[in-house]
Amino acid sequence: MLAIPPGLDPDLLRSFVLIAEGGSFTRAAQAVGRTQSAVSMQIRRLEEALGQPLLLRGARGVEPTQHGLWLLERARRLLALHDEIHTTFRQPAVAGAVRLGSPDDYAIRWLPGILARFAASHPAVQVEVTCAPSNELVDRLAAGELDLTLLSEGNEPAGARVRWLWRGPLLWVGTEALARRRPLPLTLSSNGCTWRNAAIAALEGADLPWRMAYTAASLSGSLAVALAGLAITVAMPAPLPDGLRQLGAAEGLPPLPDFAIGLLRGPKTAVAEALAQHIEENFRLETSFEPRMRA
């Protein structure tokens, strides 16, 4: 089991993670409720304890050194474990069932670790997960069939209070040979998908001919078609299967817009609030709400 070595204050690690992900001492200081000079002192203490420089100022702001990158991955895990222990022993016991919605793409990438940690810290809570497109999940939440749901930006109801968890770019994914074919063969989700709309708008804005070769219900289905060499698709930044690569201007493709992942809640219950808080905390540790993450 991971343990925080003597002398490594979790508060120092938390400030380091916020700076490394956000590229700014100022934003990190605001997040932890300290002055910028106090956060700078924390980083000096951490660097002195480890004997290595961890952060450098670069063209895009503050960036981690090689030692800092190594620490960043492990600091996230240490803080997640630290917060799990703290939550388990300090929060009142929560019991019951909670119904969570999530698009397939997010469920595969983020939910396994998040739900495993939640189960460890809230053993008396039963989580029921429904996977469907964002627009369907929003309708189910409104109908009272879900307690909270993840969703893609562009599907939120007008005036809804959405907690935005992550923002980053959409990417073209496929093979170089297919990317240069005209009309461009695409595999995307069905009508109403914000990713589909963004891809088509980008191609039409660049006056590139395209055709919908395949329609898939989820990203995994689109990636399977792309792996077969039949079409290209769009995806969020993530490790890709062997045989697929990120595509872009070098292959004559137009840029795609950023998009965000949000959390929409229904009526408040103790169980739903506990899961919502857990999801938000874990997204803060594992991801960054900064456009610089497109690197």
Side-chain angles (χ1 to χ4, degrees):
M1 179 179 290
L2 289 170
I4 297 178
L8 285 187
D9 186 338
D11 288 342
L12 305 186
L13 292 175
R14 198 177 305 278
S15 294
F16 164 74
V17 169
L18 288 169
I19 296 168
E21 290 183 339
S24 168
F25 278 82
T26 302
R27 287 194 293 271
Q30 293 171 347
V32 298
R34 294 176 179 267
T35 64
Q36 184 173 337
S37 60
V39 170
S40 297
M41 180 63 71
Q42 285 184 312
I43 299 304
R44 284 197 293 272
R45 286 173 53 196
L46 184 60
E47 290 178 332
E48 290 172 359
L50 297 176
Q52 296 290 345
L54 302 173
L55 297 168
L56 292 174
R57 294 192 180 275
R60 295 182 300 167
V62 181
E63 299 180 339
T65 63
Q66 287 300 313
H67 286 100
L69 288 172
W70 186 92
L71 176 64
L72 179 60
E73 176 185 351
R74 290 154 181 82
R76 289 185 181 122
R77 292 155 51 196
L78 285 170
L79 289 171
L81 179 60
H82 174 272
D83 293 345
E84 177 187 318
I85 293 171
H86 186 272
T87 299
T88 300
F89 286 94
R90 296 297 295 273
Q91 283 192 346
V94 178
V98 59
R99 300 162 300 174
L100 170 66
S102 175
D104 285 337
D105 314 332
Y106 309 154
I108 293 171
R109 181 174 178 187
W110 281 299
L111 285 191
I114 289 176
L115 293 182
R117 289 188 288 272
F118 184 77
S121 59
H122 297 79
V125 175
Q126 177 182 351
V127 181
E128 302 172 7
V129 180
T130 297
C131 291
S134 292
N135 56 341
E136 292 184 20
L137 294 171
V138 170
D139 290 341
R140 293 191 184 189
L141 184 72
E145 299 173 6
L146 296 173
D147 298 303
L148 66 165
T149 186
L150 297 171
L151 75 162
S152 299
E153 185 178 22
N155 293 279
E156 65 275 12
R161 297 181 62 183
V162 182
R163 172 60 175 170
W164 297 111
L165 306 173
W166 183 91
R167 181 176 293 279
L170 282 175
L171 306 173
W172 295 108
V173 171
T175 64
E176 182 178 354
L178 277 179
R180 299 185 182 281
R181 189 173 298 176
R182 299 293 182 268
L184 183 70
L186 299 178
T187 172
L188 297 168
S189 296
S190 58
N191 291 329
C193 172
T194 53
W195 292 13
R196 174 192 177 107
N197 295 341
I200 293 174
L203 292 172
E204 293 185 344
D207 199 26
L208 288 181
W210 59 274
R211 65 181 180 88
M212 194 62 63
Y214 292 86
T215 299
S218 66
L219 177 61
S220 57
S222 291
L223 291 178
V225 173
L227 273 171
L230 301 174
I232 71 168
T233 189
V234 297
M236 72 184 83
L240 294 173
D242 291 341
L244 296 181
R245 60 186 289 268
Q246 178 182 336
L247 306 167
E251 291 77 31
L253 298 176
L256 291 166
D258 284 2
F259 79 104
I261 299 171
L263 180 65
L264 184 62
R265 310 184 196 185
K268 287 187 177 182
T269 66
V271 185
E273 285 299 301
L275 179 57
Q277 181 179 352
H278 178 82
I279 290 173
E280 291 181 21
E281 291 173 352
N282 277 266
F283 262 84
R284 282 199 298 270
L285 289 174
E286 296 186 10
T287 65
S288 172
F289 197 78
E290 293 292 331
R292 69 191 292 271
M293 285 297 290
R294 61 168 51 99

